[in-house]
């Protein structure tokens, strides 16, 4: 499967970029077995304790996950200097690599040029308080925009109420540039039963569900509801 698979599928239903950070970290095998049939890709959070507090996934772990599953792997790099480690994450099996637009023009351009050259799906994440217009210079080089619904690196908090309007603004921007079909708009953070309908109504293509899936009493029923939105 490739990023093109996701582009085709997003025309039919909401995509699920399931966060393995919310799975059983002592038994990643079981977390994958539990969700593989309903995941369009796996969201793998990487943090360097500089760009964001805390340390999360790393290349060797991603390699192990890649060896376990055929599902697309989406590595979200919350790092100050992702360029120094791109090859490690590519070699580990990342199909899509998302970095943050807040890193600045020089870093972002270098990263996107390299990912385009390597034919790896290129994503840009945008933080809650950033102006969505800072994405404009990079639209021709990206496959995915990851809209953060909460402060990065934090689980279990409510989605910022401005998130749906930010999604709408990004979708309008993409449509105006003829890129609405090509670029996937995904949302990460605050994914709950009461927020997903708002996100979907704003025309998001994909969400990053964590506890919504892993703590569900009936995953099949939860997924069926998500697909219906």
């Amino acid at each position: 499967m490739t990023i093109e698979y996701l582009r085709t599928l997003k025309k039919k239903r909401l995509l699920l970029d399931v966060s393995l950070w919310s799975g059983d970290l002592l038994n990643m095998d079981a977390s994958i077995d539990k969700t593989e049939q309903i995941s369009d890709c796996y969201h793998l959070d990487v943090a360097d304790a500089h760009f964001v507090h805390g340390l999360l996934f790393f290349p060797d772990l991603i390699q192990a996950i890649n060896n376990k599953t055929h599902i697309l792997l989406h590595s979200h790099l919350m790092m100050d200097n992702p360029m120094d480690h791109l090859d490690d994450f590519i070699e580990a099996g990342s199909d899509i690599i998302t970095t943050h637009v807040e890193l600045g023009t020089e870093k972002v351009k270098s990263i996107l040029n390299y990912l385009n050259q390597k034919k790896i799906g290129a994503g840009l994440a945008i933080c809650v308080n950033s102006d969505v217009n800072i994405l404009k210079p990079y639209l021709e080089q990206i496959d995915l925009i990851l809209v953060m619904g909460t402060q990065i690196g934090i689980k279990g908090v409510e989605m910022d109420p401005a998130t749906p309007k930010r999604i709408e603004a990004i979708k309008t921007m993409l449509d105006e540039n003829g890129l609405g079909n090509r670029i996937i708009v995904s949302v990460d953070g605050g994914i709950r039963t009461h927020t997903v309908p708002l996100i979907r109504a704003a025309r998001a293509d994909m969400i990053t569900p964590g506890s919504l899936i892993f703590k569900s009493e009936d995953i099949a029923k939860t997924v069926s509801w998500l697909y219906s939105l």
Side-chain angles (χ1 to χ4, degrees), residues 12 14 59 64 67 85 89 96 126 136 154 173 189 193 219:
K12 302 176 181 178
L14 183 64
N67 291 341
H85 305 280
F89 288 101
I96 306 165
I126 182 165
K136 283 184 179 179
I154 301 173
M173 182 196 308
T193 54
I219 289 179

Short mmCIF file of all heavy atoms in Angstrom, two decimals, residues 12 14 59 64 67 85 89 96 126 136 154 173 189 193 219:
data_model
loop_
_atom_site.label_atom_id
_atom_site.label_comp_id
_atom_site.label_asym_id
_atom_site.label_seq_id
_atom_site.Cartn_x
_atom_site.Cartn_y
_atom_site.Cartn_z
N LYS A 12 -14.10 7.79 -0.08
CA LYS A 12 -15.19 6.89 0.27
C LYS A 12 -15.60 6.98 1.74
O LYS A 12 -16.77 6.81 2.07
CB LYS A 12 -14.79 5.44 -0.04
CG LYS A 12 -14.43 5.21 -1.50
CD LYS A 12 -13.94 3.78 -1.72
CE LYS A 12 -13.55 3.54 -3.16
NZ LYS A 12 -13.04 2.16 -3.36
N LEU A 14 -14.05 8.09 6.14
CA LEU A 14 -13.04 8.63 7.04
C LEU A 14 -11.90 7.63 7.21
O LEU A 14 -12.14 6.44 7.43
CB LEU A 14 -13.68 8.92 8.39
CG LEU A 14 -12.82 9.58 9.48
CD1 LEU A 14 -12.39 10.98 9.05
CD2 LEU A 14 -13.60 9.64 10.79
N PRO A 59 13.59 4.57 15.94
CA PRO A 59 13.69 3.76 14.72
C PRO A 59 13.67 2.25 14.94
O PRO A 59 13.01 1.53 14.18
CB PRO A 59 15.02 4.22 14.10
CG PRO A 59 15.14 5.64 14.54
CD PRO A 59 14.59 5.66 15.94
N ALA A 64 10.68 -2.87 14.20
CA ALA A 64 10.00 -4.05 14.74
C ALA A 64 8.52 -4.06 14.37
O ALA A 64 7.96 -5.10 14.02
CB ALA A 64 10.17 -4.11 16.26
N ASN A 67 8.13 -4.99 10.76
CA ASN A 67 8.30 -6.43 10.54
C ASN A 67 7.05 -7.22 10.92
O ASN A 67 6.84 -8.34 10.44
CB ASN A 67 9.49 -6.96 11.35
CG ASN A 67 10.82 -6.45 10.84
OD1 ASN A 67 10.92 -6.01 9.70
ND2 ASN A 67 11.84 -6.49 11.69
N HIS A 85 17.94 12.59 11.11
CA HIS A 85 17.50 11.23 11.39
C HIS A 85 16.56 10.66 10.35
O HIS A 85 16.05 9.54 10.52
CB HIS A 85 16.80 11.20 12.77
CG HIS A 85 17.64 11.73 13.88
ND1 HIS A 85 18.63 10.98 14.50
CD2 HIS A 85 17.67 12.96 14.48
CE1 HIS A 85 19.21 11.72 15.43
NE2 HIS A 85 18.64 12.91 15.45
N PHE A 89 14.61 6.70 9.96
CA PHE A 89 13.17 6.42 9.97
C PHE A 89 12.71 5.84 8.63
O PHE A 89 11.78 5.02 8.60
CB PHE A 89 12.39 7.68 10.34
CG PHE A 89 12.53 8.04 11.78
CD1 PHE A 89 13.40 9.05 12.19
CD2 PHE A 89 11.83 7.35 12.76
CE1 PHE A 89 13.56 9.37 13.52
CE2 PHE A 89 11.99 7.66 14.11
CZ PHE A 89 12.85 8.66 14.49
N ILE A 96 5.16 7.24 5.51
CA ILE A 96 4.86 8.67 5.55
C ILE A 96 5.64 9.25 6.72
O ILE A 96 5.64 8.68 7.81
CB ILE A 96 3.36 8.93 5.77
CG1 ILE A 96 2.50 8.20 4.74
CG2 ILE A 96 3.07 10.43 5.77
CD1 ILE A 96 1.04 8.12 5.11
N ILE A 126 0.87 21.02 11.95
CA ILE A 126 0.75 22.42 12.37
C ILE A 126 0.16 22.46 13.77
O ILE A 126 -0.87 21.84 14.05
CB ILE A 126 -0.08 23.24 11.35
CG1 ILE A 126 -0.14 24.71 11.78
CG2 ILE A 126 -1.46 22.65 11.13
CD1 ILE A 126 -0.60 25.64 10.67
N LYS A 136 1.15 27.51 3.27
CA LYS A 136 1.01 27.81 1.84
C LYS A 136 2.27 27.59 1.00
O LYS A 136 2.19 27.03 -0.10
CB LYS A 136 0.52 29.25 1.66
CG LYS A 136 -0.95 29.44 1.94
CD LYS A 136 -1.37 30.89 1.64
CE LYS A 136 -2.86 31.08 1.88
NZ LYS A 136 -3.29 32.48 1.62
N ILE A 154 0.94 15.58 24.36
CA ILE A 154 0.08 15.43 25.54
C ILE A 154 -1.12 14.57 25.16
O ILE A 154 -1.77 14.81 24.14
CB ILE A 154 -0.41 16.81 26.05
CG1 ILE A 154 0.77 17.71 26.40
CG2 ILE A 154 -1.32 16.64 27.25
CD1 ILE A 154 0.38 19.13 26.74
N MET A 173 -8.20 26.43 1.55
CA MET A 173 -6.91 26.76 0.96
C MET A 173 -6.51 25.73 -0.09
O MET A 173 -6.05 26.08 -1.19
CB MET A 173 -5.84 26.84 2.06
CG MET A 173 -4.45 27.22 1.58
SD MET A 173 -3.17 26.81 2.82
CE MET A 173 -3.83 27.61 4.29
N GLY A 189 -5.23 14.53 18.15
CA GLY A 189 -5.38 15.15 19.46
C GLY A 189 -6.82 15.48 19.78
O GLY A 189 -7.51 16.12 19.00
N THR A 193 -15.69 10.85 20.94
CA THR A 193 -16.98 10.64 20.28
C THR A 193 -17.70 11.95 20.02
O THR A 193 -18.44 12.07 19.03
CB THR A 193 -17.89 9.71 21.11
OG1 THR A 193 -18.01 10.23 22.45
CG2 THR A 193 -17.31 8.30 21.18
N ILE A 219 -14.88 -2.59 19.28
CA ILE A 219 -14.13 -1.87 18.24
C ILE A 219 -14.88 -1.88 16.92
O ILE A 219 -14.95 -0.85 16.22
CB ILE A 219 -12.72 -2.47 18.08
CG1 ILE A 219 -11.87 -2.12 19.31
CG2 ILE A 219 -12.04 -1.93 16.82
CD1 ILE A 219 -10.46 -2.67 19.27
#
